[in-house]
Each structure stands twice: as structure tokens, then as C-alpha cells.
């Protein structure tokens, strides 16, 4: 999956139904509102609520810094 993939425009977090951010080097989708990361396995986003993992505060801050610098 790439940042310009049209699929990203329709994918949503299974918990709050909001948009997700692609974490390209980590091959995951991220919901900064809930601080949850969803893996992408073999090109397929794993968007079940049980597939997401909670991200600690320090990791969230690092991810937000990365996404700000890539914009």
C-alpha cells in the first residue's frame, strides 16, 4: 500500500469510523484519535477491532512527528 493508494480514502477505523493514516515504513494504518495501530499483512489491512494495538504515549508522539514531517 502506498500513500497515494485510493483505498486509503475509504478505509476507516473499525472503532470510531474515522480516517486512518498510513505508516509506510512500518506497514500499518494508524488512528491518532484512539492511538491504535492496525497491521497490514501481505498487503491486506487487518481492520478488526481485535487486530488493533494500543500505542503508548511516547510512540504516539514519535508517529505524529513522522507524519508531520512527511506532509
Amino acid at each position: 500500500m502506498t500513500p497515494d493508494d485510493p483505498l486509503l480514502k475509504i478505509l476507516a477505523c473499525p472503532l470510531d469510523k474515522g480516517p486512518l493514516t498510513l505508516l509506510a515504513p512500518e506497514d500499518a494504518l494508524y488512528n491518532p484519535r484512539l492511538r491504535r495501530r492496525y497491521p497490514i499483512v501481505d498487503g491486506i489491512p487487518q481492520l478488526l477491532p481485535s487486530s488493533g494495538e494500543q500505542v503508548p504515549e511516547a510512540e504516539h508522539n514519535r508517529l505524529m512527528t513522522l507524519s508531520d514531517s512527511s506532509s
Side-chain angles (χ1 to χ4, degrees):
M1 186 171 281
T2 62
D4 59 346
D5 193 322
L7 186 59
L8 279 175
K9 293 181 186 194
I10 60 171
L11 290 178
C13 174
L15 298 175
D16 75 355
K17 311 301 186 240
L20 296 165
T21 303
L22 178 64
L23 302 175
E26 297 169 22
D27 212 19
L29 294 169
Y30 185 59
N31 178 339
R33 298 166 307 284
L34 299 180
R35 297 181 181 178
R36 291 188 66 82
R37 176 179 25 223
Y38 297 93
I40 300 173
V41 179
D42 295 328
I44 301 169
Q46 307 298 304
L47 294 177
L48 293 173
S50 61
S51 297
E53 66 176 355
Q54 197 67 39
V55 172
E57 180 76 24
E59 180 71 2
H60 170 75
N61 292 336
R62 184 185 73 80
L63 293 171
M64 291 295 84
T65 302
L66 287 175
S67 70
D68 290 342
S69 66
S70 66
S71 302

